[in-house]
Amino acid sequence: MDLKEVDRLSEEIRSKYHELEKELHGSTWSVEEDALAFLTDAGFVGRLTMGNQGRWPSENRQMLPSKIGDVYGSLLSLLKEWI
């Protein structure tokens, strides 16, 4: 999969998140909320990576690829706010 395809899929996923945010809260997340989500997911990536290396207790090792995807999607979302 190339980066254009990843970007397209990220946009589709983000669109679905926007729908969920509107349904639950009446509006989409602010840039600040997107930034906080990025930081939270980045922390999860760190812990899951440590868990995969046996340096941190983790029962969710299989979540690492999806959390890396979440971080990537959050970064794209934040980047698009500035370009």
Side-chain angles (χ1 to χ4, degrees):
M1 182 180 305
D2 66 16
L3 285 178
K4 287 183 181 182
E5 179 69 8
V6 171
D7 187 41
R8 186 188 66 73
L9 289 172
S10 177
E11 284 292 325
E12 284 182 25
I13 292 167
R14 188 69 191 121
S15 175
K16 298 221 181 272
Y17 270 111
H18 281 310
E19 290 173 22
L20 182 62
E21 292 160 4
K22 286 178 185 175
E23 181 182 319
L24 295 175
H25 305 289
S27 64
T28 60
W29 281 9
S30 66
V31 175
E32 294 87 351
E33 289 167 314
D34 283 337
L36 181 59
F38 161 73
L39 292 172
T40 301
D41 287 335
F44 281 131
V45 167
R47 291 291 192 207
L48 291 167
T49 299
M50 289 174 70
N52 282 344
Q53 298 299 308
R55 302 293 291 169
W56 187 260
S58 177
E59 296 177 13
N60 300 315
R61 293 179 181 184
Q62 71 282 357
M63 288 179 58
L64 182 57
S66 67
K67 282 296 164 191
I68 291 172
D70 289 345
V71 167
Y72 179 80
S74 294
L75 281 174
L76 283 179
S77 193
L78 291 168
L79 179 63
K80 288 177 182 183
E81 289 292 324
W82 305 109
I83 57 173

